[in-house]
Amino acid sequence: MPRPGQVKQETDERLSDRIAVGLLTRTFPPELVDRVVAECGRAGQRSRLLPPRVVVYFVLAMCLFSGQGYEEVARLLTQGLTWAKRWSGSWQVPTTAAISRARARLGPEPLKALFDEVARPLATESTPGAWYGRWRLVAIDGTVFDVPDSEENAEYFGRPKTHRTERCAYPQVRVVALAECGTHAITTAVLGPRSLSEPALARELFGRLGEDDLLLADRGFTGLELWRAAAAGGADLLWRIRSHQILPVRQELPDGSYLSEIVAAKDHRKRADPTVVRVIEYALDDPGRPARDVPYRLITTILDHGAVPATELAALYNERWEIETALDELKTHQRGPSQILRSRSPGGAEQEVWGHLLVHYAIRSLMQDTADQDGLDADRLSCTRSIRLARRQATARAAISP
């Protein structure tokens, strides 16, 4: 009932349509969510307790409040509604079973499409650590998420074996991602079963690279075909290469690097179809590391030693570790250390991973906006504190209509 003197508005709007999740609705506006859901063919009935838009935001909130139960997440989304009694007749906290059914109806496709729509590089021309000359620094790497040990997940994703060839406790979904080094923003990603290697999945990401990108990669990404696929769109590459790979010296350069060529693994003898690369070899002078006989070896598409000296490329490769930090933020600080995903079905597990990627992008977007406004390096901001801020916003702003 309205208070004395207060006129109750005539409306058929449901409480679920007014749920806002602070930073998440700022980064992923309701209109965009509705459009993506409709384009994926998941638009549902508005009169449902959990219409598709609300389920999308629920999945994001579920990833933001990792470790909380379904019903508790729903309560957190609505606890800021000081006038909730007005709506008590038309909305109540859904049960766990109802939420599970709603998630299954939605599927992973809208979350993936939303990520593809929104995730873009965040760095401006003045962002520290984001650029080297004309190149935007991006890195590629992979990781895995443990998923519940259900028959469906085990059959679809597979599980690794231990060094004793024993089965690990949980199936795993593999994720390979590209991240902007200067901002830690993950700008594109691909998911697959544990049985697919990182290089196999990586091919799906290279279409997002352009002529202004310099892609950094570790030794796990190797091979002539993968190298050519990564460079096909005009991006330049700087990859570490395995120590056993044969790199004949074709021309020594004044800066200590040399031109060589890489060939397909089966073509080492004939070397009929080579690709020219520049090789940089160096050792780390670090008292804290044991001495190594084999130096680090990098190969690059940047052949002009006069434009980019070998010493600068060797120092630049250290920026590859920024994606390691981004994945640590995603899995340790946001999801929680050693936590298992919730979903016992492959579709639900993929939906959850896309939700985590979306939440991480939203948090990194907030951090970059703050850094730009205050003239700071985003690396000086705490990701952990930003996650806590996003959680506070999600509950404090639940009463604000999106």
Side-chain angles (χ1 to χ4, degrees):
M1 294 290 293
R3 296 176 181 176
Q6 181 183 26
V7 178
K8 184 176 180 179
Q9 296 180 354
E10 295 295 331
T11 178
D12 61 353
E13 186 180 29
R14 299 176 62 82
L15 174 61
S16 56
D17 290 329
R18 295 186 62 86
I19 291 176
V21 266
L23 171 65
L24 301 181
T25 44
R26 167 185 175 271
T27 311
F28 316 110
E31 297 79 9
L32 173 61
V33 173
D34 288 343
R35 176 170 64 80
V36 167
V37 166
E39 290 174 352
C40 292
R42 297 295 194 275
Q45 299 176 5
R46 180 178 171 83
S47 59
R48 281 188 182 274
L49 181 65
L50 289 167
R53 181 209 295 178
V54 173
V55 181
V56 170
Y57 285 132
F58 178 87
V59 172
L60 298 180
M62 180 183 74
C63 296
L64 180 60
F65 295 101
S66 184
Q68 300 292 341
Y70 277 1
E71 295 181 26
E72 182 61 21
V73 172
R75 292 187 184 97
L76 288 168
L77 292 183
T78 56
Q79 72 178 17
L81 294 166
T82 57
W83 38 267
K85 291 183 179 179
R86 289 179 50 196
W87 302 87
S88 59
S90 61
W91 199 87
Q92 66 275 355
V93 173
T95 64
T96 297
I99 295 171
S100 296
R101 290 192 296 269
R103 285 190 58 203
R105 286 194 302 270
L106 183 70
E109 292 80 9
L111 279 295
K112 179 182 184 302
L114 186 60
F115 184 81
D116 290 341
E117 180 82 16
V118 174
R120 295 290 184 274
L122 298 174
T124 64
E125 294 181 358
S126 59
T127 300
W131 303 89
Y132 175 76
R134 66 174 181 85
W135 291 284
R136 183 190 301 271
L137 302 181
V138 294
I140 188 170
D141 205 358
T143 188
V144 293
F145 285 82
D146 291 336
V147 297
D149 187 16
S150 67
E151 291 185 7
E152 288 182 88
N153 282 342
E155 181 179 356
Y156 184 81
F157 293 118
R159 70 181 84 216
K161 294 182 179 180
T162 67
H163 65 283
R164 297 178 180 177
T165 70
E166 298 172 350
R167 295 194 317 164
C168 287
Y170 298 103
Q172 293 179 334
V173 53
R174 190 184 297 280
V175 181
V176 179
L178 288 176
E180 188 179 37
C181 295
T183 65
H184 294 186
I186 296 174
T187 57
T188 185
V190 60
L191 279 55
R194 180 66 168 71
S195 58
L196 287 180
S197 67
E198 291 181 1
L201 290 172
R203 294 174 180 272
E204 299 184 33
L205 305 179
F206 293 150
R208 294 288 290 269
L209 295 172
E211 295 180 357
D212 295 331
D213 294 320
L214 176 57
L215 178 64
L216 313 178
D218 202 1
R219 291 171 293 181
F221 299 90
T222 186
L224 176 65
E225 293 184 2
L226 195 67
W227 178 267
R228 288 176 173 174
D236 281 296
L237 314 179
L238 179 63
W239 294 9
R240 189 178 175 189
I241 198 166
R242 298 182 188 276
S243 59
H244 66 266
Q245 187 147 351
I246 300 172
L247 294 173
V249 179
R250 298 305 187 205
Q251 180 184 346
E252 294 184 357
L253 301 174
D255 65 345
S257 62
Y258 60 91
L259 298 183
S260 184
E261 58 190 26
I262 56 175
V263 296
K266 60 183 179 182
D267 193 29
H268 277 307
R269 292 182 179 272
K270 296 182 179 180
R271 308 189 76 85
D273 185 24
T275 291
V276 176
V277 297
R278 181 174 162 213
V279 183
I280 298 98
E281 295 186 353
Y282 63 98
L284 296 177
D285 185 12
D286 185 350
R289 293 175 177 266
R292 296 190 179 188
D293 296 332
V294 179
Y296 281 77
R297 292 198 302 172
L298 309 179
I299 57 175
T300 181
T301 56
I302 304 173
L303 305 182
D304 186 356
H305 69 278
V308 186
T311 53
E312 294 188 14
L313 288 175
L316 189 64
Y317 181 73
N318 187 60
E319 295 296 319
R320 192 204 67 82
W321 284 96
E322 300 296 344
I323 192 172
E324 303 274 4
T325 303
L327 294 175
D328 178 70
E329 294 166 356
L330 177 67
K331 294 182 61 178
T332 303
H333 303 289
Q334 179 181 303
R335 182 203 59 178
S338 303
Q339 283 199 19
I340 313 303
L341 298 185
R342 307 165 187 258
S343 306
R344 300 184 64 82
S345 67
E350 290 185 349
Q351 182 191 75
E352 200 170 343
V353 173
W354 288 117
H356 275 292
L357 289 167
L358 285 162
V359 170
H360 182 267
Y361 184 83
I363 291 169
R364 270 291 158 187
S365 177
L366 171 67
M367 294 174 68
Q368 190 58 38
D369 287 348
T370 302
D372 289 341
Q373 292 173 8
D374 296 342
L376 301 174
D377 184 345
D379 287 346
R380 306 295 297 175
L381 303 179
S382 168
C383 184
T384 301
R385 290 183 178 179
S386 300
I387 293 171
R388 292 171 182 164
L389 172 63
R391 288 170 178 161
R392 290 196 298 270
Q393 285 184 338
T395 56
R397 297 188 181 183
I400 300 176
S401 171

